[in-house]
Amino acid sequence: MTVTSVHDPSHREALWELEDAFERGDLISVFGRCTVSYEGRAASDLGAGDRLLVLKPDGAALVHTDEGRQPVNWQPPGSEHRAAVREGRLRVVSTRTSPAETLTVRFSDVHQLSAMAVTGGRDLTLHGSEEDLRTRILERPELVEPGFEPRETERPSSAGPMDVFGVDADGTPVIVELKRRRVGPDAVGQLARYVRALREELGAEGGGGGSDAGDSEESDSRDSDSDADGGGAPTVRGVLVAPSVTDRAAERLADRGFDHVALDPTPEE
Amino acid sequence: MTVTSVHDPSHREALWELEDAFERGDLISVFGRCTVSYEGRAASDLGAGDRLLVLKPDGAALVHTDEGRQPVNWQPPGSEHRAAVREGRLRVVSTRTSPAETLTVRFSDVHQLSAMAVTGGRDLTLHGSEEDLRTRILERPELVEPGFEPRETERPSSAGPMDVFGVDADGTPVIVELKRRRVGPDAVGQLARYVRALREELGAEGGGGGSDAGDSEESDSRDSDSDADGGGAPTVRGVLVAPSVTDRAAERLADRGFDHVALDPTPEE
DNA sequence: TATTCTATCTCGATG
DNA sequence: CATCGAGGTAGAATA
């Protein structure tokens, strides 16, 4: 049988089952009353209570209470689990290095322990991610605007890689920033850095402007005012593609002369 | 007994136990072979495999494989769990609204089902958080620098509340930004926004300068060059308190004339 | 290994 | 309800 399970075991019985399960590489769940302490990147203590301890063969450990999506305490994958009986009580310790951290679970009662050998089915297919959005736009560029032609994805710049780079119907360079969900002002800032970087790049190429284009990501009002269509700086358009934007983000988009295209990562159902 | 547990139940038996456990408000764990599908903020499908399903009385649902700290699929607290047998198979569905999302787990085999009534011990005490760092600095301001006097925490500004605001030995205003761990350039940007906001505020108060101090968070090189000690703008110092900074962040700190104080949230052991 | 960015982030505070 | 920021964020991609 793929599952072993003991109900109200003694602490010693629980220890035997745990060690066997570690040996087999099982996925383990333990119900019991316990205290939990953690020390590592931070430190925490949790008093006695009924909880669910999950131990995975990859080294992950999770302590769950009856509330919340997050475990109340945990240990990341790559940790090592050990179990022992001390003073007649089951104790499970999970440790890892870099950073050094330790999770200790001390049981006063073990109510139920189960272990299962896990096989197969690790291939999750997720739809509706930012990559889906990129795919969708490359297949149907007119969703951005009529006449838009994608030229490159992940085009490098001094401000990092742009999501999509292309030209509009007039041949003007367009930088498209993709977000799979509603965005705040930070996304506009990101787009602004790309636009500024490309303006400097094209300016340097065509005429006088920006030197080696290094670090100053946050200065934007150097060649102020004539942002939208070319004074001294070359024209580069910025388009933010996202399902929606916050009010602040909309203000900033308007300030910068950028456009927003409302688009979901998945076709409307 | 606080725990009920069935080994290799029929799908109908599993359903009965589940419904009883829902009724009692138990914390539930189910081992079994299943497929999982999610639809809501995104969409995903997961083929057949052995997994652990955790159902919480607060509505949270977690599907764990043998790897990773994160569940492969989940539903947040506030969802509603329902169970049924369809075509002879146990099916668990967890739904919530706003946003509308649904998690469906279809079992081909149920290996083990346990349910426990959970009591007590929800009071986690965590040490080493950003708040600990703030407390530590307020108690020992000299850790920032000799002569530093904290005046306010969470002082409001047009760029949001500052972590700690005070004055240095010369009476110069100092903005302190706290981070509990190693920081990148983003934290410097955050600090820069506070400093700029306060300069505008003080400038408007004292003399001519900045108008209504609204949105343009990312322009910084307006009164360039004489940043560090007063040209036209009033002098405001920025100090970043964190255990360490990345190279990029260090460059930016130097550019802005800001200081870095290396400090952990907890006293060295 | 270290850094950067995304996430069905989660979670809490706040307007 | 939306927004904002912290997190022992986790996890992936990248240099």
Side-chain angles (χ1 to χ4, degrees):
Chain A
M1 180 48 59
T2 64
V3 173
T4 63
S5 164
V6 287
H7 187 76
D8 270 325
S10 73
H11 290 258
R12 289 226 165 267
E13 281 179 291
L15 175 62
W16 298 334
E17 292 297 340
L18 263 186
E19 289 181 334
D20 287 351
F22 289 161
E23 193 68 27
R24 291 190 303 263
D26 281 3
L27 176 59
I28 302 165
S29 94
V30 186
F31 275 124
R33 189 167 183 82
C34 59
T35 62
V36 185
S37 67
Y38 160 79
E39 181 137 5
R41 287 172 288 177
S44 73
D45 284 288
L46 186 55
D50 296 313
R51 287 161 204 130
L52 170 64
L53 170 65
V54 176
L55 298 169
K56 297 193 177 190
D58 72 347
L62 313 168
V63 180
H64 274 279
T65 67
D66 62 338
E67 289 185 343
R69 220 251 1 178
Q70 297 293 120
V72 63
N73 276 118
W74 70 94
Q75 197 70 298
S79 311
E80 190 181 347
H81 308 316
R82 276 163 299 155
V85 172
R86 291 282 176 274
E87 301 172 358
R89 305 286 172 77
L90 179 66
R91 175 178 303 184
V92 178
V93 180
S94 181
T95 55
R96 75 159 180 172
T97 52
S98 78
E101 45 188 354
T102 303
L103 179 73
T104 306
V105 182
R106 295 177 178 85
F107 285 92
S108 59
D109 299 276
V110 181
H111 296 313
Q112 222 279 333
L113 189 157
S114 305
M116 172 173 62
V118 167
T119 62
R122 214 170 283 143
D123 49 315
L124 179 76
T125 60
L126 180 63
H127 322 285
S129 61
E130 187 175 305
E131 182 163 346
D132 283 294
L133 185 53
R134 177 164 54 244
T135 304
R136 201 174 165 213
I137 280 174
L138 295 180
E139 287 174 354
R140 303 182 54 194
E142 74 276 10
L143 289 174
V144 174
E145 65 180 30
F148 174 66
E149 285 181 27
R151 290 282 165 85
E152 274 185 86
T153 64
E154 305 295 328
R155 181 191 189 282
S157 81
S158 64
M162 313 167 181
D163 287 337
V164 178
F165 172 73
V167 296
D168 66 12
D170 298 333
T172 303
V174 178
I175 297 171
V176 181
E177 173 68 21
L178 304 176
K179 293 294 170 189
R180 62 171 307 281
R181 58 170 182 166
R182 182 177 177 84
V183 298
D186 52 329
V188 185
Q190 194 176 344
L191 179 56
R193 291 195 292 276
Y194 295 140
V195 170
R196 183 171 176 281
L198 189 61
R199 279 179 184 155
E200 286 194 352
E201 186 183 314
L202 297 181
E205 180 180 283
S211 54
D212 79 75
D215 309 287
S216 58
E217 297 178 19
E218 300 205 24
S219 60
D220 196 79
S221 53
R222 185 161 296 172
D223 48 5
S224 48
D225 289 325
S226 57
D227 255 33
D229 39 44
T235 298
V236 175
R237 294 179 52 204
V239 177
L240 181 62
V241 174
S244 64
V245 301
T246 66
D247 291 347
R248 279 273 198 243
E251 289 173 28
R252 284 234 222 163
L253 283 168
D255 287 350
R256 306 287 167 87
F258 296 157
D259 297 307
H260 165 51
V261 173
L263 196 60
D264 279 295
T266 49
E268 69 291 338
E269 317 128 37
Chain B
M1 181 50 58
T2 63
V3 173
T4 63
S5 166
V6 288
H7 187 76
D8 271 325
S10 72
H11 291 257
R12 289 225 166 267
E13 280 179 292
L15 175 62
W16 299 334
E17 293 296 340
L18 263 187
E19 290 181 333
D20 287 351
F22 290 161
E23 192 68 28
R24 291 190 301 266
D26 280 3
L27 177 59
I28 302 165
S29 93
V30 185
F31 274 123
R33 189 169 183 81
C34 58
T35 62
V36 185
S37 67
Y38 160 77
E39 181 139 5
R41 287 171 288 177
S44 73
D45 284 287
L46 187 56
D50 296 313
R51 284 155 207 136
L52 170 64
L53 170 65
V54 176
L55 298 168
K56 298 194 178 191
D58 72 347
L62 313 169
V63 180
H64 274 279
T65 67
D66 61 338
E67 289 184 343
R69 211 224 55 152
Q70 297 293 123
V72 63
N73 277 117
W74 70 91
Q75 197 70 295
S79 310
E80 190 181 349
H81 307 318
R82 275 164 299 154
V85 172
R86 292 282 175 272
E87 301 172 359
R89 305 288 172 79
L90 179 66
R91 174 178 303 184
V92 179
V93 180
S94 181
T95 56
R96 75 160 180 172
T97 52
S98 79
E101 45 188 355
T102 303
L103 180 73
T104 306
V105 183
R106 295 177 178 84
F107 285 92
S108 59
D109 299 277
V110 180
H111 296 312
Q112 222 281 333
L113 188 157
S114 304
M116 172 173 62
V118 167
T119 62
R122 215 168 283 144
D123 49 315
L124 180 77
T125 60
L126 180 65
H127 321 287
S129 61
E130 185 175 306
E131 182 163 346
D132 283 294
L133 185 53
R134 177 163 56 242
T135 304
R136 202 175 163 211
I137 279 174
L138 295 179
E139 286 174 353
R140 304 182 52 195
E142 75 276 10
L143 289 174
V144 175
E145 63 180 33
F148 175 66
E149 287 180 27
R151 290 282 166 83
E152 273 183 87
T153 65
E154 304 298 326
R155 182 191 187 283
S157 81
S158 63
M162 313 166 183
D163 287 338
V164 178
F165 172 73
V167 296
D168 67 11
D170 299 332
T172 303
V174 178
I175 297 172
V176 180
E177 174 68 22
L178 305 176
K179 293 295 171 188
R180 64 171 304 282
R181 58 171 182 166
R182 181 176 177 84
V183 298
D186 53 330
V188 186
Q190 194 177 345
L191 178 56
R193 290 196 293 276
Y194 295 141
V195 169
R196 185 171 176 283
L198 188 61
R199 278 178 183 154
E200 286 195 351
E201 186 183 314
L202 298 179
E205 181 181 280
S211 54
D212 79 75
D215 308 287
S216 57
E217 297 177 20
E218 299 203 24
S219 60
D220 195 79
S221 54
R222 185 162 297 173
D223 47 7
S224 49
D225 289 326
S226 57
D227 255 33
D229 38 44
T235 298
V236 175
R237 294 181 51 207
V239 177
L240 182 60
V241 175
S244 64
V245 300
T246 66
D247 291 347
R248 279 275 199 243
E251 288 173 28
R252 283 234 222 163
L253 283 168
D255 287 350
R256 305 287 165 88
F258 296 157
D259 297 307
H260 164 52
V261 174
L263 197 59
D264 279 295
T266 49
E268 70 293 338
E269 318 130 36

